[in-house]
Amino acid sequence: MLRLLGQVSKRAVTINLTMNIETHISLANHSTMRLGGTADYLLKVTEASMIPEAITWAKEHNLPTIMIGDGSNIIWGDEGYSGLVLVNQISGFEIQKVDQKAAYFKIGAGENWDKVVEKSVDRGYSGIEFLSLIPGTAGATPIQNVGAYGREIKDVLIELEAYDSLTNKFVKLTNDECSFDYRMSRFKNPDTDKGRFFISSITLSLTKAHPQKPFYSVLQNYLNEKNISEYTPAEIRKAVIAIRSNKLPNPKEVANCGSFFFNPIITMEKFVQLQSTYPAIPNWPSEENKVKISAAWLLEQAGFKNYQDKETGIKTWPKQPLVLVNISAKDTSSLLKFRTKIIDKVYDKFGIELKQEPEFIS
Ligand code: NAP
């Protein structure tokens, strides 16, 4: 560990940090896939005020900087990260502007997301109960506009606070300024601001109203089976937790990064052509003249249902083939090899190129 107190001379640079930057840290401990090389430098950020100091230090040393949460959507390269990794551990759960119908919740970006959902539901608020049990931190949710069962973080996010590394200032960005799209935002888009903003808090507007139908059929069926007709946030959260825990592996127990591929959104023309050969292909309406199809179904049809790849030590999760699970892989290149096998096979069979959902960082 490098204790950066007062004047420290490393690479002949004077540093006035009062923080502990760790050196040569295994990144496998910062990805729920548990693979990856080492980070040259890593800092646990517990206060927003640490961000400018850390970024200035990295800039002075010509080092790239990246901020992460729990690593639930990150694949690190085997070569590691030759820069400074900031692990967001900024806490905070503050209820503001309360009236009888709604309240604003200001949440530290490093808070565990599911704990945030639990606390809001326990207080009787609705808006994020559909996003129960999604792994990761609160600050990660706007990056890819996290969504589940038809609800997205963009539906409730009022604004967020972030450090802008371009102007070296903290800024407040409103919902409109985040350029949210399906599993996308300006923070993730390489053509706009990827890597520019370091999110320190998010503010959500949650209501006391009950969630309204229609619900995804998997959720509605569960509620029907359990004879639940009063759709409180607590009942929806309970249902989502039951459905997800039955189908998806717990990253604390089984190394995985959730869905490994996006559901492809294809043109109507391509869809009609596919449907003539595969009438059972699961599909949902998407943007105009486009159709969302099931990546999980494509994998199953390409032979990857409950498939264990002996060569690489990766397997597809029996109840959800979109989740790749690290059973015994020694390195990220093994995972990437298996990923390529899947992409190639699906492309050969359907002419559709699957896109990886977790971010690859090296
Ligand atoms: P699932 O319930 O098996 O559903 C599979 C896919 O079908 C989902 O991707 C979902 O699209 C789509 N789908 C199902 N019913 C639909 C409907 N009525 N209208 C439109 N699309 C429909 O999915 P799962 O893997 O167990 O995951 C459960 C939920 O968590 C899903 O909503 C999934 O998207 C979400 N999830 C989100 C992330 C993320 O935000 N990064 C990662 C993993 C899973 P949608 O993806 O559009 O919901």
Side-chain angles (χ1 to χ4, degrees):
M1 183 180 285
L2 247 186
R3 183 137 179 90
L4 300 172
L5 259 179
Q7 291 213 327
V8 177
S9 178
K10 178 153 202 271
R11 299 188 194 170
V13 175
T14 302
I15 305 153
N16 287 315
L17 291 180
T18 49
M19 304 178 280
N20 290 322
I21 295 187
E22 297 169 81
T23 54
H24 306 297
I25 295 298
S26 167
L27 287 167
N29 297 327
H30 291 279
S31 162
T32 52
M33 195 52 108
R34 293 181 209 134
L35 293 172
T38 56
D40 285 0
Y41 301 96
L42 183 142
L43 176 68
K44 292 178 180 140
V45 174
T46 49
E47 303 284 341
S49 60
M50 292 167 78
I51 301 172
E53 233 181 322
I55 287 174
T56 304
W57 179 81
K59 278 184 182 167
E60 283 170 0
H61 288 71
N62 289 321
L63 294 168
T65 311
I66 187 171
M67 182 172 263
I68 65 166
D70 291 342
S72 56
N73 207 36
I74 293 176
I75 308 293
W76 300 104
D78 290 322
E79 59 281 21
Y81 187 73
S82 309
L84 174 64
V85 176
L86 301 179
V87 182
N88 197 323
Q89 296 184 343
I90 301 169
S91 58
F93 185 93
E94 199 187 319
I95 305 180
Q96 309 173 322
K97 279 178 74 170
V98 190
D99 64 29
Q100 283 192 328
K101 289 188 184 150
Y104 280 11
F105 286 62
K106 184 173 178 186
I107 295 161
E111 289 283 343
N112 172 274
W113 174 250
D114 191 54
K115 284 269 172 282
V116 171
V117 180
E118 184 183 36
K119 284 203 252 180
S120 69
V121 168
D122 283 352
R123 287 160 177 75
Y125 283 95
S126 170
I128 50 177
E129 58 279 17
F130 293 83
L131 311 185
S132 290
L133 224 59
I134 290 191
T137 54
T141 57
I143 307 279
Q144 67 161 346
N145 183 23
V146 157
Y149 306 105
R151 308 309 203 264
E152 297 173 311
I153 195 72
K154 82 166 168 53
D155 304 335
V156 291
L157 188 131
I158 294 297
E159 65 178 21
L160 56 78
E161 285 175 333
Y163 183 71
D164 181 350
S165 61
L166 202 64
T167 59
N168 299 323
K169 282 186 193 136
F170 275 99
V171 288
K172 279 187 184 180
L173 299 175
T174 61
N175 184 309
D176 279 350
E177 289 169 320
C178 295
S179 310
F180 287 125
D181 205 340
Y182 183 63
R183 305 284 185 268
M184 183 50 98
S185 73
R186 70 186 287 185
F187 313 111
K188 195 182 170 195
N189 190 339
D191 299 329
T192 58
D193 294 315
K194 189 169 159 50
R196 172 174 164 184
F197 293 102
F198 295 75
I199 298 172
S200 53
S201 74
I202 61 173
T203 300
L204 312 177
S205 171
L206 306 181
T207 74
K208 287 274 183 177
H210 284 183
Q212 294 295 312
K213 292 209 274 189
F215 304 139
Y216 270 23
S217 52
V218 63
L219 185 55
Q220 187 65 62
N221 293 345
Y222 180 92
L223 295 166
N224 293 349
E225 270 167 34
K226 301 282 169 195
N227 288 321
I228 296 163
S229 52
E230 204 196 338
Y231 306 124
T232 63
E235 288 293 2
I236 297 289
R237 174 169 164 78
K238 243 178 25 195
V240 168
I241 288 176
I243 296 166
R244 287 185 70 103
S245 348
N246 176 42
K247 192 171 168 194
L248 300 167
N250 179 347
K252 287 193 181 126
E253 289 156 16
V254 182
N256 78 91
C257 270
S259 298
F260 205 83
F261 300 102
F262 288 106
N263 289 316
I265 295 177
I266 60 173
T267 61
M268 183 61 78
E269 196 186 356
K270 173 78 183 163
F271 174 68
V272 170
Q273 179 206 332
L274 270 178
Q275 206 184 28
S276 64
T277 317
Y278 305 100
I281 185 167
N283 65 91
W284 303 274
S286 180
E287 54 206 90
E288 211 186 340
N289 220 21
K290 300 238 166 115
V291 180
K292 179 169 73 176
I293 57 168
S294 161
W297 184 86
L298 295 174
L299 258 72
E300 286 186 8
Q301 298 301 306
F304 293 106
K305 188 179 168 76
N306 196 10
Y307 181 94
Q308 182 144 1
D309 192 59
K310 296 219 167 59
E311 188 195 351
T312 60
I314 308 286
K315 76 172 204 173
T316 58
W317 189 245
K319 290 187 178 169
Q320 171 50 291
L322 262 196
V323 178
L324 304 191
V325 169
N326 171 12
I327 300 296
S328 57
K330 305 245 172 330
D331 47 31
T332 301
S333 59
S334 303
L335 171 67
L336 300 184
K337 203 179 220 176
F338 185 48
R339 173 198 67 174
T340 306
K341 260 188 213 180
I342 294 175
I343 291 175
D344 289 351
K345 224 161 167 207
V346 167
Y347 188 80
D348 287 349
K349 197 168 166 69
F350 300 102
I352 291 174
E353 195 177 342
L354 289 175
K355 294 270 178 274
Q356 179 175 321
E357 186 177 317
E359 193 179 356
F360 178 74
I361 305 171
S362 65

